Amino acid sequence: MVPESSENPENPESAEGSAGWATQARQRVTENPKLEVMARKSFVLDYPVEDVWQVIDDPLHWQADAFHNEIVDMHDAGGVGTYFEMLHTNHPIIPWPMPDQRFVGVVMDWEPLRRQSVAELNIDSSAGSKRTPDHKQLIELEPMGPARTQLTYTVATIRMEGISEVTRFFFRPWARFQLRRAIGKKLSHIRKDLGRSI
């Protein structure tokens, strides 16, 4: 169980709470013109949409997301405005551990039985540079019948700066391949949780 967050003097946003993080998320991720879709996959699950939503309704499910997070603190607002501090335990694209990289996740979309998203903001000042850029993850659900649901998972990230167009051209397919693999792992977590919930 992750405890509710309290004001942290080391966190410049703590006094503003969810409103402050939501503002940053809109500016840094949602409204950022450099945000681009890096990976998207759809799956059909043999469960009704209500069961699938029950699994992803708990914001702790982001702990086993496509970026392998560990949530260490949370303020649960019951949907939009929920925010949590997390650690990226592994780099999502390059295979090396990153146990000290801190992010804040902010729930930006929350439509029961339909969609939810989280914007992840890099707040790691100890690294000296942003090793993983700000990004957004989106889950969309579409009922395919009384006992089937299509789940579409999208990862969008800020375009990497400081690298040439040629390097980006060759790097992007590798990054998308790795992110699609990570999305596949996320699906396996959802399937396991669905199996336990019935």
Side-chain angles (χ1 to χ4, degrees), residues 36-40 92-94 157 160 163-182:
E36 66 176 330
V37 171
M38 291 296 292
R40 177 180 286 129
I93 298 173
I94 305 169
T157 187
M160 296 182 68
I163 60 175
S164 69
E165 285 296 330
V166 173
T167 302
R168 187 179 289 115
F169 175 81
F170 287 104
F171 176 74
R172 187 179 289 115
W174 166 257
R176 285 180 171 158
F177 170 74
Q178 293 297 332
L179 289 174
R180 286 174 64 84
R181 287 185 60 195

Side-chain angles (χ1 to χ4, degrees), residues 81-102:
T82 294
Y83 63 96
F84 40 86
E85 183 179 337
M86 61 188 124
L87 303 176
H88 273 208
T89 53
N90 290 282
H91 195 284
I93 298 173
I94 305 169
W96 63 48
M98 305 177 66
D100 61 339
Q101 188 174 24
R102 296 165 58 245

Side-chain angles (χ1 to χ4, degrees), residues 37-122:
V37 171
M38 291 296 292
R40 177 180 286 129
K41 291 185 74 172
S42 294
F43 312 90
V44 175
L45 301 168
D46 292 326
Y47 295 90
V49 69
E50 293 82 4
D51 289 358
V52 180
W53 181 259
Q54 183 177 352
V55 167
I56 66 172
D57 182 50
D58 184 350
L60 282 177
H61 83 86
W62 293 109
Q63 193 159 231
D65 77 348
F67 289 84
H68 317 291
N69 293 318
E70 176 188 352
I71 293 176
V72 295
D73 196 15
M74 175 181 289
H75 170 78
D76 189 349
V80 172
T82 294
Y83 63 96
F84 40 86
E85 183 179 337
M86 61 188 124
L87 303 176
H88 273 208
T89 53
N90 290 282
H91 195 284
I93 298 173
I94 305 169
W96 63 48
M98 305 177 66
D100 61 339
Q101 188 174 24
R102 296 165 58 245
F103 271 72
V104 163
V106 185
V107 175
M108 302 299 293
D109 298 288
W110 189 274
E111 298 179 45
L113 306 181
R114 295 189 60 187
R115 58 188 274 137
Q116 64 170 272
S117 73
V118 63
E120 296 189 21
L121 311 179
N122 190 317

Side-chain angles (χ1 to χ4, degrees), residues 5 18-19 35 43 48 50 76 80 82 116 121 123 135-137 139 145 161 163 168 192:
S5 65
S18 60
L35 191 73
F43 312 90
E50 293 82 4
D76 189 349
V80 172
T82 294
Q116 64 170 272
L121 311 179
I123 58 171
H135 48 273
K136 183 176 182 179
Q137 298 183 67
I139 295 175
E161 301 295 332
I163 60 175
R168 187 179 289 115
K192 286 179 183 177

